[in-house]
Amino acid sequence: MEFPDVGERCSIQDCKELDFLPVVCNHCHDTFCKQHFDVTSHECTSFRDNVVSTKTKSSSYVCSDESCKETSPINMLCIKCKKHFCLNHRYHGCLEYSNEEKTMKLKKWQIPKKQFAEAKAVVDQEITDNLNKSKNTAMANKIRMMRIKGTAVGPKNVPMNKRCYFLVYPPIKITNKNIGPSKGIFVNMTWPIGKAIDSLADTLKISNNNNVAGACRLQLFHHATGALICDEMDTPLTTLLENSELVNGQSVILEYSDSMPVDISLYK
């Protein structure tokens, strides 16, 4: 027994089969039986048109270079001009700098280079000056040492290899003409600075009350700056020499003072 009102017939003219579960094509929207529902089975023209249209659309990106007609399925836009170019023309000069832009950027790049060169020149000059100063100071100390050794006096029992030489400027209140404005004196470099001061006072034959409580003490000062050399009387001279607080052969001031800097203009 047939049920003419149930199901639909296949759209293929040579088929027309009544199918209770017909299939509607998504492309041409016709109804087909189970044997013809596939697009290839019923030669769906709508599907073929869609495929051709899609292919045409996907290959419609033509290179923007006037001499090139190559198409591409991928749209490759220049980040600057926003135009599509093929792989052969992707470097089309759009991103190149003009001569003016190149000049401006070159100047901008040269600024830190110039600043570095200027800073380096200043540092190099400072190093050179310091080296020259150091060499000059060392040479001056060596020459002064040779001059002091020639006339220096001191305790005879101090070994030659232990002698430390100073050009000593005596206290300004001393008027002994035999001393003069300064005198070369040697002491033992293994002595503490307090004993060295006592020996300098004995050699110059000047009053020394360093062992008297409350008396104004004799102390050593730098002739170049007037600053006190050391306030700790038990500090060995070797320690001061090693720390470069003293230099063998340097000029010093022996003065009665309360540790304040002395006026170097008075000792010439």
Side-chain angles (χ1 to χ4, degrees):
M1 178 183 230
E2 294 185 3
F3 301 93
D5 296 331
V6 178
E8 292 189 30
R9 295 187 180 278
C10 180
S11 297
I12 298 296
Q13 292 296 328
D14 295 337
C15 180
K16 294 297 183 178
E17 180 180 344
L18 180 64
D19 197 320
F20 295 105
L21 295 173
V23 178
V24 178
C25 177
N26 292 329
H27 302 284
C28 63
H29 303 294
D30 288 336
T31 302
F32 297 95
C33 66
K34 61 182 179 180
Q35 293 181 352
H36 298 108
F37 74 91
D38 186 77
V39 291
T40 56
S41 299
H42 65 265
E43 297 180 355
C44 182
T45 56
S46 298
F47 174 76
R48 186 169 56 251
D49 292 341
N50 288 338
V51 171
V52 173
S53 175
T54 302
K55 289 183 178 180
T56 303
K57 182 178 180 180
S58 64
S59 61
S60 62
Y61 300 109
V62 182
C63 179
S64 298
D65 189 281
E66 295 181 356
S67 62
C68 180
K69 300 300 180 183
E70 183 175 342
T71 59
S72 172
I74 301 174
N75 192 15
M76 296 180 290
L77 298 178
C78 171
I79 61 174
K80 186 173 182 180
C81 66
K82 305 302 180 183
K83 294 181 180 180
H84 167 78
F85 289 90
C86 66
L87 293 177
N88 293 331
H89 296 106
R90 61 189 182 279
Y91 301 116
H92 53 279
C94 187
L95 297 177
E96 293 183 0
Y97 295 116
S98 64
N99 292 334
E100 183 178 354
E101 288 176 327
K102 290 179 180 178
T103 302
M104 293 295 294
K105 288 187 175 293
L106 183 61
K107 289 181 178 179
K108 184 178 180 179
W109 293 336
Q110 287 178 341
I111 291 176
K113 183 178 178 181
K114 183 179 179 181
Q115 291 174 341
F116 174 80
E118 292 175 350
K120 184 177 183 299
V122 172
V123 173
D124 290 344
Q125 186 61 47
E126 288 181 355
I127 293 174
T128 301
D129 293 343
N130 289 337
L131 287 175
N132 291 335
K133 184 178 179 181
S134 178
K135 291 178 181 178
N136 294 338
T137 301
M139 181 60 69
N141 288 338
K142 187 177 293 185
I143 294 173
R144 183 166 55 246
M145 179 81 161
M146 294 172 61
R147 289 177 178 174
I148 294 173
K149 275 188 174 182
T151 59
V153 295
K156 302 296 184 182
N157 61 347
V158 178
M160 292 293 295
N161 63 340
K162 297 295 184 182
R163 292 182 179 183
C164 182
Y165 296 84
F166 297 110
L167 182 62
V168 183
Y169 288 78
I172 55 175
K173 293 183 179 180
I174 299 300
T175 57
N176 190 340
K177 295 182 179 180
N178 295 326
I179 298 177
S182 61
K183 192 171 187 63
I185 304 176
F186 62 83
V187 296
N188 195 322
M189 65 175 59
T190 63
W191 290 345
I193 190 171
K195 186 174 179 179
I197 291 174
D198 293 341
S199 180
L200 293 176
D202 291 342
T203 301
L204 293 174
K205 295 180 173 53
I206 61 176
S207 176
N208 178 15
N209 297 318
N210 283 6
N211 60 344
V212 178
C216 188
R217 294 191 302 169
L218 270 175
Q219 300 194 83
L220 278 182
F221 299 84
H222 291 284
H223 183 261
T225 63
L228 180 67
I229 292 176
C230 183
D231 192 35
E232 300 295 333
M233 293 294 102
D234 59 346
T235 304
L237 291 179
T238 51
T239 301
L240 298 175
L241 292 169
E242 290 171 359
N243 295 338
S244 299
E245 296 178 44
L246 272 179
V247 177
N248 197 355
Q250 82 171 71
S251 299
V252 296
I253 298 172
L254 183 64
E255 185 57 89
Y256 302 102
S257 176
D258 54 0
S259 302
M260 296 297 290
V262 297
D263 185 359
I264 62 175
S265 64
L266 302 176
Y267 304 88
K268 295 182 180 180

